[in-house]
Amino acid sequence: MSMILIWLLITVACYGAVIGTAALMTFAERKVSAAMQYRYGPNRVGPFGLLQPLADGVKFIFKEEVIPAGANPWIFKLAPILTALPAMLAIAVIPFTGVIGTFEGTEVLGSIANPEIGILYVLAVTGVGVYGAILGGWASNSKYSLLGGLRASAQMVSYELSLILAVLAVVATTGSLNLHEIVAGQSGWFGWNVFSQPLAFVLFLVCSYAETNRHPFDFAECEPELVGGFHTEYSSMKFAMFFIGEYTAMVVMACLTTTLFFGGYLVPFWADAPWWMGLIAFGAKTSFFLLLFIWVRWTLPRFRYDQLMHLGWKVLFPLALINIFVTGLVISFGPGAN
Amino acid sequence: MSVGAILCSLVVVSARNPVVSVLSLLGSFVCLAVIYLLAGFQFMAAAQLLVYAGAIMVLFLFVIMLLNLGNSAEESGPLDRALLRARRMPVVLAIGAAVFLLTLFGIETQQTVMAADPELVERGVSSLSGLAELMFSTYLLPFEAASVLLLAATIAVIVLAKRGRTQLVADTRTEVTP
């Protein structure tokens, strides 16, 4: 009975943390962009404007909901759910910290579930996320939305390949798909995968920006060309669902970057750190990548669409293949080979 | 879950809107993945989601949207539609029966394979390393054959696409020169 209670606690804590971070990210996005443009940003609601996400949420709920004429109502309603759901599902396997303790003979880990195929599960459920954009764009019965949806799907499918190949290199060096084992494999001096797989890290970072539809790859939205892209016609809470999905996906991607390349919850130079130190280390590393998301958005201009496809298929994809090949060679014939 | 899969597949053939068909096919794939998961094949479930739901169905959806098929049945009257359906019915039933028989046959063979090689179950097809070991030792030849087949298909598609394009270019040239 109490084991169930512990699981419930961990689940609530993990989901609360990630969704809370996603809500705070909307605030951080505006605050950081304001700082970069020498403005104040939101500063009216609560101390330093910290309660702005809550105010936004309340406002979204009370807005009128419009379903455009000629739209397919069922698919129109389904699309925001399909955007938010995959990111939420992916949270379940992210290792926030190591072993918390032993309870009734079972080790309690710092993640909701710990399947053997952890990273594959994340890739599988986030791969479904593209349906939200493409269906939302199609069901809206508007040309801007349709263009946004088509661009989003083409882009996500193209970059997903390189993303998976980059992850595969990490999996090959670790020899496991389990996220906890991937983290455990990165202990020691310069043990982080970013040192042994720098190319895979760069590929993963670039592709994760494209996968989450962030600048400089935000062609699904692309305000100057497509008004709002695939969610042009959405209003009220459905629009908010798209945003929650997008920001949760960002948090998940930052968590994954930390887990795969930066030692996850491992504390540098402290091998047997307690679990709460691991949690803090994980939070700090993830926060940095979240900040990087915002930083890049307000610094770089957007690509042109053909440049995006060129980069995806003719630069990143071959690089990822070469990376896999070299990794395989080193594993088979390198110094550590048996 | 199997009920869900069957319902979804029924919608695939009966829906008038092609996008709805694609979506229900997606639903049926997801149901299949859950069935794999319940049977203990974690890797199969993830691969099913990743490959079919994540990549192939997106391409289907993409093509259908770009072709803009529309509702073909809406253009004809209700009587025509009913006739069309009645005419299609035997074909659909025949295909369904064939698939059903094939599945039965497949289950039968699988059971015999499992029964013939208890080691197979023991070593665990469910675990990833067990699967990889089997794939690259006992079943290496079928695996390589399948990959060569896929490669041939890829090359064929490229050749076909190229030929189409060069013909198009040639056509426009002949149009321009006289």
Side-chain angles (χ1 to χ4, degrees):
Chain A
M1 187 62 211
S2 39
M3 196 64 212
I4 296 175
L5 201 69
I6 285 188
W7 272 334
L8 260 179
L9 260 179
I10 289 180
T11 311
V12 169
C14 290
Y15 272 89
V18 172
I19 295 171
T21 316
L24 272 182
M25 273 298 285
T26 61
F27 169 71
E29 178 105 56
R30 296 163 72 177
K31 211 62 178 170
V32 172
S33 68
M36 289 176 84
Q37 295 168 347
Y38 211 62
R39 293 184 284 116
Y40 283 118
N43 63 354
R44 284 288 177 268
V45 194
F48 311 107
L50 261 173
L51 297 178
Q52 186 68 39
L54 282 182
D56 288 342
V58 172
K59 188 184 156 203
F60 271 130
I61 290 172
F62 285 109
K63 281 277 177 183
E64 188 195 352
E65 203 169 306
V66 184
I67 295 181
N72 187 327
W74 284 100
I75 299 180
F76 190 79
K77 284 173 196 161
L78 187 70
I81 302 172
L82 277 182
T83 312
L85 189 69
M88 304 272 173
L89 283 176
I91 299 172
V93 295
I94 290 172
F96 291 95
T97 181
V99 180
I100 294 176
T102 315
F103 191 79
E104 287 180 359
T106 324
E107 273 192 340
V108 178
L109 293 167
S111 61
I112 298 172
N114 186 28
E116 194 195 353
I117 50 154
I119 184 66
L120 257 187
Y121 167 83
V122 174
L123 293 174
V125 292
T126 48
V128 180
V130 60
Y131 286 103
I134 187 170
L135 289 177
W138 180 80
S140 301
N141 193 28
S142 136
K143 35 182 164 315
Y144 293 122
S145 300
L146 183 63
L147 275 175
L150 286 178
R151 284 179 171 193
S153 56
Q155 167 188 342
M156 282 163 113
V157 169
S158 318
Y159 278 74
E160 203 179 1
L161 278 175
S162 311
L163 185 90
I164 293 174
L165 286 175
V167 170
L168 207 60
V170 172
V171 171
T173 43
T174 315
S176 172
L177 289 169
N178 185 310
L179 284 170
H180 277 280
E181 283 174 30
I182 289 177
V183 171
Q186 301 180 50
S187 55
W189 289 82
F190 292 100
W192 290 358
N193 278 333
V194 67
F195 299 117
S196 55
Q197 291 282 352
L199 184 60
F201 166 64
V202 173
L203 289 172
F204 184 86
L205 199 67
V206 173
C207 294
S208 68
Y209 281 54
E211 278 290 293
T212 47
N213 279 324
R214 288 287 297 184
H215 247 278
F217 305 112
D218 62 340
F219 288 93
E221 291 161 35
C222 209
E223 293 92 346
E225 295 170 31
L226 296 179
V227 191
F230 63 96
H231 54 52
T232 306
E233 305 291 343
Y234 280 87
S235 52
S236 179
M237 210 52 206
K238 291 203 182 65
F239 179 73
M241 284 285 272
F242 275 122
F243 254 58
I244 293 171
E246 187 181 321
Y247 277 92
T248 314
M250 251 163 77
V251 178
V252 167
M253 275 299 173
C255 289
L256 270 188
T257 318
T258 311
T259 306
L260 291 176
F261 294 100
F262 284 82
Y265 49 77
L266 296 178
V267 188
F269 315 118
W270 190 5
D272 44 357
W275 64 270
W276 49 269
M277 262 317 284
L279 199 61
I280 293 172
F282 186 84
K285 291 172 192 173
T286 307
S287 309
F288 171 75
F289 286 107
L290 286 174
L291 183 67
L292 197 66
F293 267 110
I294 303 176
W295 193 359
V296 165
R297 170 165 179 185
W298 296 98
T299 311
L300 295 180
R302 183 183 292 122
F303 275 81
R304 219 172 51 218
Y305 193 66
D306 60 319
Q307 290 173 333
L308 169 95
M309 281 297 156
H310 184 273
L311 179 74
W313 285 106
K314 295 185 178 166
V315 180
L316 294 181
F317 188 56
L319 272 181
L321 282 178
I322 292 170
N323 188 38
I324 290 264
F325 185 65
V326 172
T327 310
L329 278 186
V330 170
I331 289 176
S332 308
F333 306 110
N338 43 8
Chain B
M1 267 304 132
S2 41
V3 172
I6 292 169
L7 277 182
C8 284
S9 336
L10 281 180
V11 177
V12 173
V13 284
S14 64
R16 260 175 278 155
N17 192 331
V19 174
V20 175
S21 290
V22 170
L23 275 186
S24 33
L25 194 55
L26 176 71
S28 132
F29 280 152
V30 172
C31 288
L32 264 184
V34 176
I35 291 174
Y36 285 143
L37 202 61
L38 289 178
F41 300 116
Q42 286 189 351
F43 175 71
M44 285 293 288
Q48 168 89 8
L49 265 187
L50 196 63
V51 175
Y52 283 99
I56 292 182
M57 290 320 287
V58 175
L59 282 185
F60 271 41
L61 207 56
F62 201 81
V63 170
I64 285 176
M65 282 177 181
L66 280 183
L67 288 180
N68 207 2
L69 286 173
N71 300 354
S72 51
E74 260 176 20
E75 287 149 16
S76 49
L79 192 66
D80 289 345
R81 214 184 301 155
L83 271 177
L84 199 67
R85 274 205 190 161
R87 231 181 298 151
R88 274 187 203 151
M89 220 35 171
V91 183
V92 172
L93 281 180
I95 294 175
V99 170
F100 184 66
L101 284 178
L102 264 180
T103 321
L104 272 186
F105 180 69
I107 290 172
E108 194 85 357
T109 347
Q110 191 202 9
Q111 274 170 350
T112 44
V113 166
M114 290 275 189
D117 194 359
E119 213 182 315
L120 203 70
V121 187
E122 220 170 83
R123 264 188 292 176
V125 194
S126 54
S127 81
L128 188 59
S129 48
L131 189 73
E133 217 174 287
L134 279 177
M135 199 183 262
F136 287 104
S137 57
T138 320
Y139 300 103
L140 182 63
L141 194 68
F143 178 69
E144 290 293 334
S147 66
V148 169
L149 192 67
L150 283 177
L151 185 66
T154 317
I155 292 172
V157 166
I158 291 172
V159 168
L160 284 177
K162 277 244 156 134
R163 188 185 292 163
R165 190 175 295 168
T166 43
Q167 261 179 4
L168 204 70
V169 171
D171 287 351
T172 43
R173 266 191 205 143
T174 46
E175 269 171 29
V176 170
T177 35

